């Protein structure tokens, strides 16, 4: 049986990994946008995917907050 402590530890770890990956993508996106060189198609696709991932996380977060807690 998995205890609540084990479950929340797993969730926090995966959340931190996701946050790290999104942060790295955002930092790369900012470097691309602040660069003097023109943005090519690959760079633009990277930026679009980053923005889409952030939007998806925001939507999931809003949906999770709207789900009522079940009474035990």
């Amino acid at each position: 049986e998995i205890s609540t402590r084990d479950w929340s530890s797993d969730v926090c770890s995966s959340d931190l990994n996701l946050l790290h990956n999104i942060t790295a993508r955002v930092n790369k996106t900012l470097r691309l946008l602040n660069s003097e060189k023109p943005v090519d198609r690959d760079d633009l696709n990277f930026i679009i995917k980053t923005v889409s991932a952030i939007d998806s996380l925001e939507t999931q977060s809003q949906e999770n907050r709207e789900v009522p807690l079940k009474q035990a």
Side-chain angles (χ1 to χ4, degrees):
E1 182 176 346
I2 298 175
S3 72
T4 305
R5 188 181 76 228
D6 294 335
W7 178 82
S8 47
S9 173
D10 291 342
V11 170
C12 291
S13 176
S14 65
D15 288 348
L16 289 174
N17 288 334
L18 180 61
L19 180 60
H20 174 75
N21 291 336
I22 292 293
T23 302
R25 291 186 70 92
V26 168
N27 286 333
K28 180 178 178 180
T29 297
L30 291 173
R31 282 194 306 275
L32 289 169
L33 293 174
N34 289 321
S35 173
E36 294 293 321
K37 77 173 188 110
V39 176
D40 65 19
R41 175 169 277 164
D42 289 338
D43 294 341
L44 186 58
N45 284 333
F46 182 87
I47 293 166
I48 290 169
K49 287 179 182 179
T50 300
V51 171
S52 178
I54 293 168
D55 186 53
S56 176
L57 286 174
E58 183 179 359
T59 300
Q60 289 174 9
S61 177
Q62 288 172 355
E63 289 172 354
N64 287 339
R65 285 191 300 258
E66 292 171 1
V67 175
L69 296 175
K70 292 183 180 179
Q71 298 295 324

